[in-house]
Amino acid sequence: MDSVSTYSAASLAWLAIQATTLIVWPSLISTLLRADGPAQGAPYGVANSNASLEQYFARSLGLAQLALGSLLLVLSGALPLDSPANPPDNTSNPTPSASAAVLLTTLYHAAAAFYAYTRYHATRGLTAYLLGCLASSVLAAYGLGVLLFAGDRNRRVSRRTGADKSTSGWPFKNAEADKKKKKRS
């Protein structure tokens, strides 16, 4: 499993955990995230008088998170859409849309981490926001690493030295290689 597929699976897992909680028990999240606890006189789990609207938005968000995670899995190539009778010719490279899908979900995780961080400080240290911030930060950092270092396996590699020929000497020159070239000529 390559890094793009690993990122896609990890992102889907985190989004599925959030979505399952939102779909199955929508009032739990709003109760956990209230700074003052459940509303006075209301049964446990009901945060406000607009419980039906709250449940609608929570379940809609949960379904949207499942859709986002599933789209990431499909667009990154981790879940192939080709039939087994016609396997793709090169299964090791991610699909062309993989970098776009990883970029968008990395931006999503970074925004979610930033929001959770600001809410954590605004509520004076609510643990649920801290956990959300940590998980989203890890996924945003991992997605950034995938964007920077993954993909493009069709590099030109020297048969003699094994060095990558697609790199340049900018901004640092390879003085040792330049000396050897001057001695040869």
Side-chain angles (χ1 to χ4, degrees):
M1 188 181 240
D2 64 340
S3 60
V4 175
S5 299
T6 305
Y7 170 76
S8 300
S11 186
L12 175 64
W14 173 239
L15 291 171
I17 288 169
Q18 291 177 351
T20 303
T21 307
L22 285 169
I23 292 169
V24 174
W25 197 4
S27 58
L28 171 69
I29 299 298
S30 62
T31 303
L32 287 174
L33 298 178
R34 287 179 57 95
D36 56 348
Q40 294 295 333
Y44 181 75
V46 178
N48 59 21
S49 61
N50 295 328
S52 61
L53 184 64
E54 174 184 303
Q55 289 178 3
Y56 168 76
F57 283 128
R59 288 186 173 132
S60 294
L61 176 62
L63 293 172
Q65 285 181 323
L66 284 177
L68 178 68
S70 301
L71 276 172
L72 174 63
L73 207 62
V74 170
L75 291 176
S76 67
L79 185 67
L81 295 178
D82 294 337
S83 67
N86 299 327
D89 54 352
N90 190 2
T91 58
S92 65
N93 285 336
T95 62
S97 59
S99 59
V102 171
L103 173 66
L104 290 176
T105 54
T106 299
L107 291 175
Y108 167 78
H109 288 302
F114 177 74
Y115 175 72
Y117 180 75
T118 57
R119 292 298 304 157
Y120 174 73
H121 282 291
T123 58
R124 296 182 187 91
L126 207 55
T127 308
Y129 286 118
L130 179 64
L131 295 175
C133 177
L134 289 175
S136 292
S137 297
V138 166
L139 284 170
Y142 188 54
L144 182 64
V146 167
L147 285 171
L148 291 175
F149 303 114
D152 193 26
R153 295 204 178 125
N154 298 325
R155 297 181 196 163
R156 299 177 315 190
V157 177
S158 171
R159 291 182 187 169
R160 186 173 50 97
T161 63
D164 188 2
K165 291 182 179 181
S166 63
T167 59
S168 70
W170 186 85
F172 305 108
K173 297 287 184 186
N174 189 347
E176 292 299 317
D178 291 341
K179 287 179 188 177
K180 290 179 184 178
K181 285 181 184 177
K182 287 181 182 177
K183 286 182 184 178
R184 286 187 208 147
S185 23

